[in-house]
Structure formats: structure tokens, C-alpha cells
Amino acid sequence: MKKIEEKDYEIINGSFGVSFVKFKILQKYEKKLTHAITLRNGGVSKKPYDSLNFRKTVKGEIENVSTNLKICCDELKVNFESVCKATQTHSNNILILNDKNKDEYLFSKDNKEEFDAYIVEEKNITTYITTADCIPIIIYDPIKNIVSNIHSGWRGTVAKIYMNVINVLKSEYDSNINDLIICIGPHIRSCCFSSEELEFKEKFTNVWKNESEYIFYENNKKRFHIDMEKLIIGDILKAGIRKENIATCNICTCCNSDKFFSCRASKKDGSDFGTFATFVCLK
């Protein structure tokens, strides 16, 4: 396990036994925005999903996930009845949530429509995405007071779902690129995100040509590692996002699977995996 060192973020222990990652740059706007990324402690799920699991597709976990969600809502002081969640499928789809359509996507409705990013401009609508190595991304426009909650796995990263969100914020909401704040949460980092499959590598090199800048090989010259965070940051800097408006976590979920759920770490020991959650809500 690698030591977690805080820079752009802090880990807050709540009064209900749960812990959250919160970004310091977003904490400046805590009167307007609630945000939190859960660790895996403080819930009711049993092994191997212990204990604050949000993956409800596994047998016997639906009631536990609902209880875990209620625990977090109480801690974050958001309304459990206002929590929205569509179905994640590593798509490139963006859901714009508002008072007109939010009831269709309430957690209690278990909507099967496929969306991997949300954009919200109205208050008291809570969205959450789930990850277990994939990349959670929050994009916030503090001037327009609009927030996006994004699930970007390797497929979403290759599809540049985060750039799609930025483009929608600019075109549909007239967001100024200089105002946007982008926070990248805990995910599997280049130390553990590796493969020996050349076809897999080509999924990245077909999009980003300068592979030596984000891919490195182990000594055997066969296994390679990919730095997805570097790709994302490179893209958003080229788009005009200010460097000082980008915050990241140096937390690898695979290295720190005792604190965060990790699909890859679970597969190493032959167990199943849970997921943690990223919450955002405008106040």
C-alpha cells in the first residue's frame, strides 16, 4: 500500500463513521456546492463488499446499497429522495438533469437508461457516479453555478467524455473556459494500469499519437503502463482550462484497495469487488 499524501484534497472523517475525499479548490464554494468521494468504510455491506459499497448489481446488495446511500445523505445533509442515478455502461452519454426530468432518474426508480455523465444547474438535485478503478471527474463552473459529475473509465477516457462535457458547458450554458474547475478523483494510476495486449494499447495510440509521453514499459519490454490522468490533463489544458483550476488525487485505488474499492486488486486475490461513489449537489 502506498502512503496517501494530501495536496489538492483532504480526507474528512464524518460523524456517521464514513470518510470522504474533498477537494480544497471546491471547498471554497461549499455554500453553493456539496461534493464528496467516499472511501470504503462506514457502511453495512459484508465481505467482499465491506463496507460502504454502492454496487447494487451483485446479489443481496440492493438493500445494503440503499442503506449506505442513506448514511452518506445524512452525513452530507442532502435529501435521500432527491438522489439521481442512471445506469453506467462506459458510454459517452451525458444526461442534463433538471426539475422537469429528475423524477425519472431517482435512485428509487432504478432507471436503466445509459448515462456516464450528468450536468446539473438546478439546486437540490444530487447525482452520484460509482467507480472501482475508473476515473471520477467533477467539473464546476462557479460563475454559472453548474456542475458535472463524470464516470470516465478507460473507454470513457478514449471517447473523451470529459471533453464532451466541456463542450456542452460552453455551447449550451455559455460557460467561460477560464472559469471551469476540474477535479480528478482516486482511480487506478499508471503504476497499476498495465497490460501486454498490443490491441489494447492501440485503443489509446489511435487517439493520442505521442505514446512515449504517457506509456512506459517494464524491463521485459512486453508489459506497458498507461497514464490516463496525464492524457486527461493534457487534453483539458489544450482546451484552455487554467492549470491552477485543475486538482488531482495522487491516490491509486489498486495500491490502496483497503481504503477504496478496486476491481483489479480484487481480481488479484480472486474476490468480487464493490464500488465507491462520487456525490455532487448544488445547494
Side-chain angles (χ1 to χ4, degrees):
M1 184 189 72
K2 290 189 175 181
K3 182 181 179 181
I4 297 176
E5 297 179 355
E6 301 174 14
K7 180 183 177 184
D8 293 340
Y9 63 95
E10 56 186 343
I11 295 179
I12 296 175
N13 298 315
S15 55
F16 293 94
V18 297
S19 301
F20 300 108
V21 171
K22 293 195 176 186
F23 290 98
K24 295 176 183 179
I25 193 171
L26 293 180
Q27 288 288 75
K28 300 174 184 178
Y29 305 98
E30 60 182 351
K31 291 183 179 180
K32 299 196 299 180
L33 175 72
T34 294
H35 83 285
I37 301 175
T38 63
L39 278 72
R40 61 182 295 173
N41 58 288
V44 299
S45 299
K46 306 303 181 183
K47 290 184 178 180
Y49 315 108
D50 50 321
S51 63
L52 195 66
N53 170 47
F54 289 91
R55 185 179 174 217
K56 61 181 180 179
T57 56
V58 292
K59 186 177 180 180
E61 274 298 284
I62 294 178
E63 291 186 6
N64 289 336
V65 170
S66 181
T67 300
N68 290 340
L69 179 58
K70 288 176 181 176
I71 291 171
C72 289
C73 287
D74 288 343
E75 180 65 48
L76 298 173
K77 295 181 173 59
V78 298
N79 182 6
F80 173 78
E81 303 297 333
S82 75
V83 176
C84 294
K85 180 82 166 68
T87 299
Q88 288 179 200
T89 58
H90 300 277
S91 73
N92 201 25
N93 300 334
I94 300 170
L95 174 61
I96 297 175
L97 274 172
N98 52 48
D99 285 334
K100 294 180 180 179
N101 68 352
K102 66 179 183 180
D103 289 347
E104 301 174 33
Y105 301 96
L106 293 175
F107 171 81
S108 58
K109 297 288 182 67
D110 196 27
N111 193 297
K112 299 301 183 183
E113 292 184 45
E114 299 175 358
F115 294 97
D116 285 86
Y118 306 93
I119 294 177
V120 182
E121 63 172 335
E122 296 178 5
K123 298 178 180 179
N124 302 316
I125 299 176
T126 303
T127 66
Y128 80 94
I129 58 101
T130 55
T131 52
D133 282 341
C134 296
I135 307 173
I137 304 173
I138 300 172
I139 302 181
Y140 181 52
D141 181 341
I143 306 303
K144 301 287 186 178
N145 201 32
I146 302 171
V147 69
S148 178
N149 199 4
I150 305 169
H151 161 248
S152 184
W154 70 259
R155 294 177 183 86
T157 300
V158 168
K160 300 193 179 188
I161 188 171
Y162 48 92
M163 290 305 305
N164 288 355
V165 169
I166 291 173
N167 290 333
V168 170
L169 290 175
K170 289 166 59 181
S171 63
E172 300 297 324
Y173 299 94
D174 198 30
S175 287
N176 187 323
I177 197 74
N178 292 322
D179 297 329
L180 296 181
I181 296 169
I182 299 184
C183 298
I184 301 173
H187 61 276
I188 189 169
R189 295 174 67 85
S190 59
C191 51
C192 297
F193 187 51
S194 65
S195 175
E196 293 185 3
E197 298 177 14
L198 294 180
E199 289 184 5
F200 180 68
K201 187 183 78 165
E202 288 173 356
K203 295 180 185 300
F204 290 85
T205 57
N206 287 338
V207 179
W208 296 276
K209 305 302 180 183
N210 51 339
E211 64 176 273
S212 62
E213 294 185 8
Y214 63 90
I215 294 177
F216 67 90
Y217 282 84
E218 294 183 7
N219 290 335
N220 62 13
K221 305 298 182 182
K222 292 182 179 180
R223 178 159 293 273
F224 56 86
H225 295 245
I226 300 175
D227 190 338
M228 289 190 292
E229 181 177 292
K230 190 170 185 178
L231 292 173
I232 293 171
I233 292 176
D235 283 343
I236 61 180
L237 285 173
K238 288 179 183 176
I241 301 295
R242 297 162 60 192
K243 186 176 181 179
E244 58 266 33
N245 281 358
I246 301 172
T248 65
C249 288
N250 62 324
I251 302 172
C252 175
T253 47
C254 189
C255 289
N256 295 279
S257 59
D258 62 325
K259 293 182 172 62
F260 297 88
F261 291 107
S262 168
C263 176
R264 182 162 295 206
S266 295
K267 287 180 178 178
K268 287 180 180 179
D269 62 22
S271 65
D272 201 3
F273 65 95
T275 58
F276 60 96
T278 299
F279 293 93
V280 294
C281 180
L282 297 173
K283 299 179 181 180

